[in-house]
Amino acid sequence: MRVSVEITRRPEIADPEGTTIMRALADLGHRDIEAVRVDRVIHLDVAGDDPDQVRARVEEMCRQLLANPVLEDFRVEVDE
Amino acid sequence: MRVSVEITRRPEIADPEGTTIMRALADLGHRDIEAVRVDRVIHLDVAGDDPDQVRARVEEMCRQLLANPVLEDFRVEVDE
Amino acid sequence: MRTAVVVFPGTNCEKDVVHALTSLGGEAELVWHRETDLSRFDGVILPGGFAHGDYLRTGAIARFSPVMAEVGRMAAAGAPVLGICNGFQVLCEAEMLPGALIANRDLAFICRFVDVEVTDTSTILTRNATLGQRLRLPLNSYQGNWVDPGSDARVTLTYLDNPNGSQGSAAAVSNAAGNVVGVMPHPERASEELLGSGDGLVLLEGFLQSLVPA
Amino acid sequence: MTITGQPVHRRLGMTDDEHESVIRILGRSPLPAELAMYSVMWSEHCSYKSSRAHLRRFPTEAPWVVVGPGENAGVVALGDGWLAALRIESHNHPSFVEPYQGAATGVGGILRDVFTMGARPIALWDQIRFGPLDDPKNRYLFGGVVAGIAGYGNAVGVPTIGGEIEFDPTYSGNPLVNVMCLGILREEQLVLGTAGEPGNVAVLLGKATGRDGIGGASVLASASFDDGSQEKRPSVQVGDPFEEKKLIEACLEMFEEGLVAGIQDLGAAGLACAISEPSGRAGVGMDVDLGAVHVRESGMTAPELLMSESQERMMAFVHPRNVEAVLVIANKWEIESAVIGMVKAGGTLTVRHSGEIVAEMPAASLADAAPLYDRPLRRPEWLDGLWQTPDPPQIEPADALIQLLDDPGIGSSAWTYEQYDHMLFLNTLCGPGGDGSLLRIRGTHKGLAVSTDGNGRLCLLDPRRGAARLVYEAALNVAMTGAKPLAVVDNLNFGNPEKPEVMWQFRETVEGISEACEALGIPVVGGNVSFYNETDGVDINPTPVVGLLGLADPIPIQLPGLGRAREGMEIWEIGPEPTQNLAGSALQRVVHRQLGDRPTAAQPEWAKQVIELAASLAHQVPVLHDVSSGGLAVGVAEICIASSVGAALSAEGIGPLFSEDPHRFILMMDPGAVRLPADLARMVGFVGGNSLSMSGAGAVDLGLLTATYQQAIPRRMNR
Ligand SMILES: Nc1ncnc2c1ncn2[C@@H]1O[C@H](COP(=O)(O)OP(=O)(O)O)[C@@H](O)[C@H]1O
Ligand SMILES: [Mg+2]
């Protein structure tokens, strides 16, 4: 099954990359951007056919490896 | 308006991050993952109220800066 | 004969490049990325480092620096333009060189000497080298993995033992005319036996000899 | 700040007595912002309240000392108007909470301590310690810390040219991440952390202030770990090497133009520290308006603004006539800046937020009035047990050697240092992989040599002897690059200072370092103390780390190197005859898996002779290598591997082959090339063949040695 995990940086955690991109966009004339944040999406193909089981397994992977609990939150979506 | 841009890596382009994650997951015992691909999502807050205009402007930013046509495609979503 | 060595915010090899060039009798001057007139120079080097912190994509933001228009103009006029490491990445993003650079195969930074072979001697970088000549140069990059699907690019140097997954083992590529070259390993770091190798000198000499009064 | 449960000051890690003395100083009970300031400034991390009394023991004077302990970094004179600035810092607790960012911000912090002095940082060294790599958690921490040091150091553009890696169960719940930085400057560029004269303007430079690490380093580093450490997580700081790079260049340009009267980095205790310490040092006061601080998040309270540990910020004190020029340079380098205050006469610090006074106190009281604890000491009872000589299992030297080379703390560290840019600036003459590092100062004949050394097992068995031996080992390492020892910085990583045994270990360590420095005639010019390295009540082995700077003048024309051994060369061991003593040795840890006996004491007279001899031999012979971890056998094996040639050792028996007794080094040279003093030198074998043989103990194939050594870390990190 195709699963996608959005890993988002906690709002209170600084995002130097987002800030730098925002400044670059401003230099290019896009001055009316109020905020830029960069996150990651991880797409996985997981064997299995029970969506709930698959979701549970992927959430486990997030806690183990994919997301950094200190800095990030994650959202798992099973697109059957 | 909140706009999110998904920057997806072209299929023919190698994805070292994806392969590394897949290997790491296997080490953790998750051996039945068939594919892992890592993409980026850029969230922007853009001033303006006309969704089509905002979309057009963000697509322009993607062509200019946010995506590299050699490596990536992009998909813009305006979540009003 | 003067060479402009461009400094973007985050560039860090600029003084090393000037040191190596001047030790060969060349004249080089640091130029801030906001400079808009390079007419007093006969060639340009974009040195290594982390322009704009490598944020978004390496070289993606630097490409829009004011100085880049001038770099483009000089390249079009046939002047020698060399991008080293991060400078290579900037030239790709600026579409002055084919392809792009992505993260190393093993997703780790690599700083060590690597062996490369000269595969094209008709560029500003390799004109003094011989075909098949082997050079020992320091690599120093996280995104040294060059890709260019369906490429017909001119590959100038290749790795003997591909350390980062680069397509066709390319360590350096040039534009069709051979006056714009991007090289991932650092010739200026191999400019003295005392530092472990002098193999970069033949490349930098080639660059200096390619300078012709603008 | 709304805080539930117990009184605010306790939640901020302040004892009731400390709270009382704040009330005494102010003559009233403190406002929230004032309490915040005192709590961070009086935290163990910032105030050294448990260690200060002992640190006074260090010898800190020498004719070449320009700035000793007390400033952001120590500064020594190198001659011809050149100065070197050096400092070492720990980021142990933050690296446990988030290895990548913890290590990265540790690098950022130590860099600021050095360029605050007006110096350009030219190199970094990392001393990192973890639990065994068979535990995935330790692999994660090790990988993350190395990636963090690489990610920040490489991008900020300062090479990391050496360090030390150790793996030991004692660090499983509490890794150690120490980073040392060296900078150079010309005399006239020296700047201090002083606010200077009344009228000077306080300019805050760099990153916008957010809620990062509120109470972070200070409170985090001042409280032990337990399951509660989860709660502390939100205060993790994120490093931005790009911002720091611009900040370094901007500040150095300001110094060159002589625009800055004094400057202070914002590290632990953030703004609270950066406004109070420089005022205290200059005996002045200051008016500060928090409303002027450029912020990343809206609605930050005064305490938050004062305690925030947002990275990449500096506080410059500037004469009014230079403010314009300073802002122009900040602009050029594309860093933000804000005028947030003005220095005033009389020592009162007055902090305003949206018009009203949120804090007012004697500026000096935040540093000088900090509590000073003379904590009880007790020699641990268990030490006598440990001093019994164990009877180790029998083992073939050849097998022991292979087991040692396969240890990730002894095997090749290329996996780590090849992730670090160690060549930038074209000055690295002796880089990672050898003994001491050597950097040239271009345009001179001078070279700066550095060695960093720690050994938790030795110091567990005898903190005083162990610590002294670290200083001698570091001195010998720099001598082997032709350098003369100049100065020491130290990083004291210990457990919970409220335990008398830990304080005893601390006192003994300070004593040992002091004795060795006095014997060598070198000062301690700076350092750092990290207490509360314990998890669930278990303290780490006492782990002092010594960083020693030496000066080579002139630099040897041809430097000795491990890779320069050739067929037919003689192998000599220089120094006192080793005993059978194995206390704290790698053999005990890796092979016997049993620690015991009392470490051999250093012998200052031998040490000085051996160090001077090594420094002169560095100009004459191709191969020098000190005998340390793994003893003579491992030392010779490392040379064989680096030179891809075998060797035959006449040395026999476990003691001579594996003892780590001090003041010894290996020398290789063509037969009779140099005359060696008979009382110090022993011929122990020849270079040649493609295996390493130890007389009466069989031979080990060079290929096997090499593969084992090179794979020690990669095979465990599966990369
Ligand atoms: N173990 C030590 N040995 C010598 N000096 C030390 C030691 N620990 C701290 N110091 C000195 O105390 C001063 C204050 O340290 P610290 O508050 O950590 O500075 P910073 O705030 O710049 O990190 C510094 O000059 C430091 O060198
Ligand atoms: Mg400091």
Side-chain angles (χ1 to χ4, degrees), chain C residues 16 33-34 55 111 189 192, chain D residues 240 334 418 421 425 440:
Chain C
D16 296 2
H33 74 123
R34 299 219 173 258
Y55 292 134
C111 177
R189 293 187 178 195
E192 269 176 276
Chain D
D240 181 359
E334 300 170 23
E418 285 181 355
D421 181 350
F425 301 147
R440 66 177 169 188

Side-chain angles (χ1 to χ4, degrees), chain D residues 71-73 87 89 109 112-113 116 264-267 273 277 281:
Chain D
E71 278 278 343
N72 292 299
R87 178 72 194 277
E89 263 279 20
R112 287 190 293 279
D113 275 336
T116 304
Q264 171 81 29
D265 62 298
L266 278 76
C273 177
E277 267 190 7
R281 290 190 186 115

Side-chain angles (χ1 to χ4, degrees), chain D residues 201-205 254-255 260-264 314-318 326:
Chain D
V201 175
V203 185
L204 181 59
L205 299 164
M254 293 170 193
F255 301 150
V260 172
I263 190 162
Q264 171 81 29
M314 301 285 281
M315 175 70 83
F317 301 96
V318 183
V326 162

